[in-house]
Amino acid sequence: GVASLLGMVATVSGLNNFIRDSISAENTPILSLQKVNFLAGEGTKEWQKRKNFTIDDAFALEELPHVRGVEVEYQRSVSVKYKERKANLIHMIGSNQPILQIQSMNIAEGRYFTTFEEDHRRKIVAMGAKAANSLFKNEDPIGKNIRIEGREYKVVGVFADRKTIFGGFAENFMIIPYTAFERDFLFRRQGLEINVIVDDMAYVDEVTENMRALMRMRRKVPLGEPDDFAIISIDAVIEFTQNITDKVSLALVVLSSIALMVGGIGVMVIMLVSVTERTHEIGIRKAIGATRGQIVLQFLVEAATLSGIGGLLGIAVGLSLALLIAKLVGFSFVLPLGWLIFSVVISVGIGLFFGIFPAQKAAKLDPIVALRYE
């Protein structure tokens, strides 16, 4: 019970920190323009009814006060070929310069494309580490030509590995200029994702209201009608994920509590067996003057020691599991000191609670009857 409780708490704590750090890239205030507010439970039905955003919407948002930049994204899965090697289901993104800041991405080899290349729809691509490795193996990918869905593009850069909860899957991507994506790969009526970088946290509310007013005007939303879009802040996403992990934590604590109760019952059974086996010993102690209180104390100490040792072993196992999960998934290990102390206290407490009945049973034994017991 203690192992599962502490292991789960440590894992969830580390996961919370990882998600928060991943979402809030360098504490950059970001506002995401979405067709639906998924945080409020809006789903596919609303999404299908609403108009897609356009690149002109992004250009208009760039003109708002206190907007540092606007990132745009088109996305689709593609097959990519280099010589005789082929990789399927590569996640291709058509984007612009601000994606590097929003996604905290760094180039490991080569470079990213320039604004000039973006404006002139150059057929160039920067690849994620996994996508590059799957195609080029031990070759240097920089300057090589690949074919994306039959169209030739030149590799100019490879991104550095990133620690993400999705592991290698997150590196199985490539980015081309959004202008080239529009020319070569855009599906009919394909939507555009837009993220706005705000100059400073102090301007987030102001920029949000300006974005809302601008988008209502551009999308011709009638006065008094609700928005047919959503503006979601990074803080809202963090709060949403925190609420989810909090609920998961609560459920895990409840399940662990059940395991602790079962463990407590096990302690009680062991102590009852111990009382039965040591009846003669109890009789001798009472015959030489041991009081009922001393007998109770003896068995309570034994029960607390037994459960305490079990708790310490559980702590070691739980923390080891949490550390292993953290290493496998790729987030930092968090030592929940408060829960560590709580685990020790609850272990000893369970021993004391479930040891009361056996201790009282031992204390109530008649010394004459106990001495006859063999």
Side-chain angles (χ1 to χ4, degrees):
V2 170
S4 58
L5 174 64
L6 200 59
M8 291 170 183
V9 169
T11 300
V12 171
S13 298
L15 184 59
N16 269 338
N17 289 348
F18 179 79
I19 291 173
R20 185 168 55 251
D21 293 342
S22 298
I23 293 175
S24 55
E26 300 177 357
N27 295 318
T28 303
I30 299 168
L31 297 172
S32 180
L33 188 62
Q34 302 283 336
K35 287 171 64 175
V36 296
N37 188 349
F38 61 89
L39 302 182
E42 293 181 342
T44 306
K45 187 178 294 185
E46 292 87 354
W47 189 88
Q48 290 174 339
K49 291 179 181 178
R50 296 176 179 177
K51 294 186 294 185
N52 290 326
F53 301 117
T54 67
I55 195 65
D56 289 333
D57 291 331
F59 292 152
L61 289 168
E62 280 184 322
E63 302 302 318
L64 292 177
H66 308 302
V67 170
R68 188 190 309 170
V70 176
E71 182 236 3
V72 298
E73 286 186 30
Y74 294 106
Q75 301 185 31
R76 64 176 287 188
S77 293
V78 294
S79 61
V80 184
K81 192 172 182 180
Y82 171 68
K83 295 182 179 178
E84 300 304 316
R85 300 186 194 124
K86 186 176 182 180
N88 295 315
L89 297 178
I90 302 291
H91 184 61
M92 184 173 68
I93 303 169
S95 191
N96 55 353
Q97 300 295 315
I99 192 174
L100 299 179
Q101 182 177 358
I102 286 180
Q103 299 291 345
S104 296
M105 303 168 83
N106 296 305
I107 292 289
E109 301 176 53
R111 62 179 179 84
Y112 192 61
F113 51 80
T114 65
T115 303
F116 178 85
E117 291 168 324
E118 183 182 298
D119 292 340
H120 289 78
R121 302 185 177 189
R122 293 287 193 258
K123 290 188 172 184
I124 53 179
V125 56
M127 307 184 73
K130 184 178 180 182
N133 289 336
S134 64
L135 279 177
F136 295 100
K137 305 299 181 184
N138 297 322
E139 291 186 54
D140 181 6
I142 306 303
K144 301 292 195 306
N145 290 325
I146 61 174
R147 300 193 72 83
I148 307 173
E149 300 288 344
R151 295 175 175 84
E152 191 170 273
Y153 274 69
K154 178 182 286 188
V155 179
V156 296
V158 176
F159 290 103
D161 285 327
R162 293 181 298 162
K163 288 185 177 180
T164 73
I165 191 172
F166 304 106
F169 176 76
E171 308 307 319
N172 196 34
F173 72 95
M174 57 177 56
I175 302 178
I176 66 173
Y178 78 90
T179 49
F181 190 106
E182 288 177 329
R183 180 193 59 214
D184 294 336
F185 302 104
L186 193 64
F187 290 128
R188 186 182 177 187
R189 300 175 68 182
Q190 181 172 352
L192 175 72
E193 295 184 21
I194 299 176
N195 295 301
V196 174
I197 304 175
V198 184
D199 279 335
D200 190 87
M201 287 296 296
Y203 301 119
V204 167
D205 291 341
E206 179 184 341
V207 173
T208 300
E209 288 305 312
N210 289 339
M211 285 176 62
R212 183 170 179 266
L214 176 64
M215 293 309 300
R216 283 183 65 88
M217 180 183 68
R218 291 186 59 83
R219 293 167 76 85
K220 297 181 173 59
V221 179
L223 188 65
E225 291 293 317
D227 298 340
D228 64 349
F229 58 91
I231 300 171
I232 301 174
S233 68
I234 292 300
D235 287 342
V237 176
I238 292 174
E239 183 180 353
F240 178 75
T241 56
Q242 183 72 54
N243 288 337
I244 292 176
T245 52
D246 285 348
K247 290 176 182 177
V248 171
S249 298
L250 180 60
L252 295 177
V253 167
V254 171
L255 292 174
S256 298
S257 299
I258 295 173
L260 287 171
M261 291 294 291
V262 173
I265 293 171
V267 170
M268 183 172 66
V269 170
I270 291 172
M271 294 308 298
L272 285 171
V273 172
S274 177
V275 168
T276 302
E277 292 179 344
R278 296 162 64 187
T279 300
H280 191 71
E281 174 194 329
I282 295 168
I284 293 174
R285 288 205 64 203
K286 297 192 82 173
I288 61 177
T291 64
R292 291 183 62 177
Q294 289 173 329
I295 299 296
V296 168
L297 180 62
Q298 175 189 345
F299 279 90
L300 285 180
V301 169
E302 290 180 11
T305 302
L306 179 65
S307 60
I309 293 173
L312 291 175
L313 291 174
I315 288 171
V317 172
L319 292 180
S320 298
L321 286 174
L323 183 60
L324 178 62
I325 293 171
K327 285 187 175 181
L328 289 175
V329 177
F331 56 80
S332 59
F333 172 73
V334 175
L335 180 63
L337 189 58
W339 282 97
L340 192 66
I341 297 171
F342 174 76
S343 298
V344 174
V345 172
I346 199 68
S347 297
V348 175
I350 284 175
L352 291 173
F353 179 78
F354 284 95
I356 289 174
F357 177 69
Q360 288 181 336
K361 182 180 178 182
K364 290 178 181 178
L365 286 175
D366 187 313
I368 297 175
V369 175
L371 285 169
R372 291 175 180 171
Y373 186 86
E374 292 184 4

